[in-house]
């Protein structure tokens, strides 16, 4: 049984979509949650998670900016005392065919999806090493494994996340820290709402389980990887994709 009581997590990109669901599922299992997002909005995500009876606080943070991350992580550690779980979830898309893709659209996707995971992992690594334990879960994508036209930036960022996950797992394992990635397929969020209905119908047909996934499917996998039960799993990429990546 997953029990995260007494543990605290940082979840990036957690005011909506998959990140918010991760924050909620971690909280339902007893963990306190620091919600980091570039936009906190009306803090409804913080209210929703706090209502589950755990410590929860929101922090406005552009996770691709190392100085901001350093300052915010310092504040999170002061507020929570100890952090046990880091979920690098924040991500964006700027799809276009490679020949039409603007340099800034390549750079911003790499910065938010990949550079941020390096920055946030560096910002928490020493805390985890001192505690001789910790869980890092990085959000990859099926598009980092098998991809499609129009996603040179996104596919490169998610393939990069997989490499980063494996290398960090090797470096941090001696201190009892695990690093894993989750590779969702197509999940019902604002990110996939942008897709035309014909594309959604095509994906549903191609997915062995014949439907898009829900944010909760991904969040449940994160809660497992964050738990004591997953202590012997590191450097892995777990597909949550209805069988699409099989
Ligand atoms: N939805 C899918 O089908 C799908 C599939 C595979 C992987 N993913 C990955 O899952 C993660 C979450 O996706 P989602 O569908 O929930 O997306 P979403 O667009 O609904 O949410 C992304 C969140 O990240 C935040 N964010 C963006 N830039 C940020 C920055 N610089 N700093 C901090 N926060 C920032 C946004 O404000 C937003 O709250 C992403 O990494 C995405 O690539 C999603």
């Amino acid at each position: 049984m997953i029990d995260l009581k007494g543990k605290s997590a940082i979840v990036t990109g957690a005011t909506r979509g998959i990140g918010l669901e991760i924050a909620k599922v971690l909280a339902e299992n007893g963990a306190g949650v620091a919600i980091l997002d570039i936009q906190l909005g009306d803090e409804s995500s913080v209210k929703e998670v706090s209502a589950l009876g755990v410590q929860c606080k929101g922090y406005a943070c552009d996770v691709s900016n190392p100085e901001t991350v350093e300052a915010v992580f310092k504040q999170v550690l002061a507020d929570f005392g100890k952090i046990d779980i880091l979920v690098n979830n924040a991500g964006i898309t700027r799809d276009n065919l490679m020949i039409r893709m603007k340099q800034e659209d390549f750079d911003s996707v790499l910065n938010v999806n990949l550079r941020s995971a390096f920055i946030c992992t560096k910002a928490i690594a020493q805390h985890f090493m001192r505690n001789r334990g910790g869980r890092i879960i990085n959000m990859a994508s099926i598009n980092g494994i098998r991809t499609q036209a129009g996603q040179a930036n996104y596919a490169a960022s998610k393939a990069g996340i997989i490499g980063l996950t494996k290398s960090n797992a090797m470096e941090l394992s001696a201190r009892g820290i695990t690093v894993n990635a989750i590779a969702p397929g197509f999940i019902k969020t604002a990110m996939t709402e942008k897709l035309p209905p014909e594309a959604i119908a095509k994906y549903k047909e191609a997915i062995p389980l014949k439907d898009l996934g829900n944010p909760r499917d991904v969040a449940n996998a994160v809660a497992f990887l964050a738990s004591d039960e997953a202590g012997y799993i590191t450097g892995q990429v777990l597909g949550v994709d209805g069988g699409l990546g099989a």
Side-chain angles (χ1 to χ4, degrees):
M1 202 194 93
I2 294 172
D3 182 5
L4 302 176
K5 275 194 229 62
K7 297 188 193 291
S8 298
I10 292 174
V11 186
T12 72
T15 58
R16 66 176 199 205
I18 293 172
L20 174 55
E21 205 61 26
I22 292 168
K24 282 160 62 180
V25 171
L26 294 179
E28 283 166 15
N29 286 286
V33 185
I35 287 181
L36 271 59
D37 205 292
I38 196 159
Q39 291 176 333
L40 279 181
D42 60 3
E43 296 221 7
S44 58
S45 52
V46 177
K47 287 172 203 144
E48 234 180 292
V49 176
S50 301
L52 296 164
V54 297
Q55 180 182 5
C56 178
K57 200 167 169 201
Y59 303 81
C61 181
D62 174 355
V63 287
S64 65
N65 181 318
E67 288 82 30
T68 312
V69 167
E70 202 186 316
V72 170
F73 273 45
K74 219 170 149 187
Q75 189 57 51
V76 172
L77 285 171
D79 293 340
F80 284 78
K82 180 170 172 267
I83 290 293
D84 307 279
I85 302 154
L86 168 66
V87 186
N88 287 311
N89 166 77
I92 57 170
T93 52
R94 297 281 183 274
D95 293 357
N96 213 333
L97 291 175
M98 187 268 291
I99 51 165
R100 291 193 201 130
M101 190 177 283
K102 294 195 190 99
Q103 186 63 46
E104 69 198 58
D105 286 339
F106 186 84
D107 294 344
S108 60
V109 169
L110 267 287
N111 281 340
V112 177
N113 295 9
L114 176 59
R115 191 171 184 259
S116 68
F118 173 74
I119 292 169
C120 292
T121 300
K122 247 178 104 89
I124 205 70
Q126 284 192 347
H127 178 72
F128 282 177
M129 285 161 84
R130 268 195 304 275
N131 293 337
R132 301 200 76 82
R135 296 274 191 270
I136 300 170
I137 297 142
N138 295 324
M139 206 51 69
S141 166
I142 192 166
N143 283 306
I145 301 165
R146 43 174 275 195
T147 191
Q148 54 200 344
Q151 292 205 307
N153 49 3
Y154 189 77
S157 73
K158 295 302 186 180
I161 277 283
I162 292 171
L164 182 76
T165 299
K166 293 185 179 189
S167 177
N168 286 350
M170 296 304 105
E171 289 189 27
L172 298 172
S173 56
R175 302 292 185 109
I177 301 161
T178 69
V179 190
N180 291 291
I182 292 183
F186 292 92
I187 309 295
K188 294 167 200 160
T189 68
M191 194 175 265
T192 43
E193 259 167 30
K194 291 187 249 171
L195 295 167
E198 317 81 73
I200 303 253
K202 217 176 89 195
Y203 290 133
K204 278 190 184 172
E205 193 41 47
I207 296 166
L209 288 176
K210 299 292 172 212
D211 200 1
L212 270 63
N214 290 302
R216 188 146 283 242
D217 297 318
V218 180
N220 286 335
V222 171
F224 169 64
L225 289 174
S227 72
D228 289 347
E229 283 76 3
Y232 198 57
I233 301 173
T234 197
Q236 303 302 309
V237 183
L238 176 58
V240 180
D241 58 12
L244 193 57

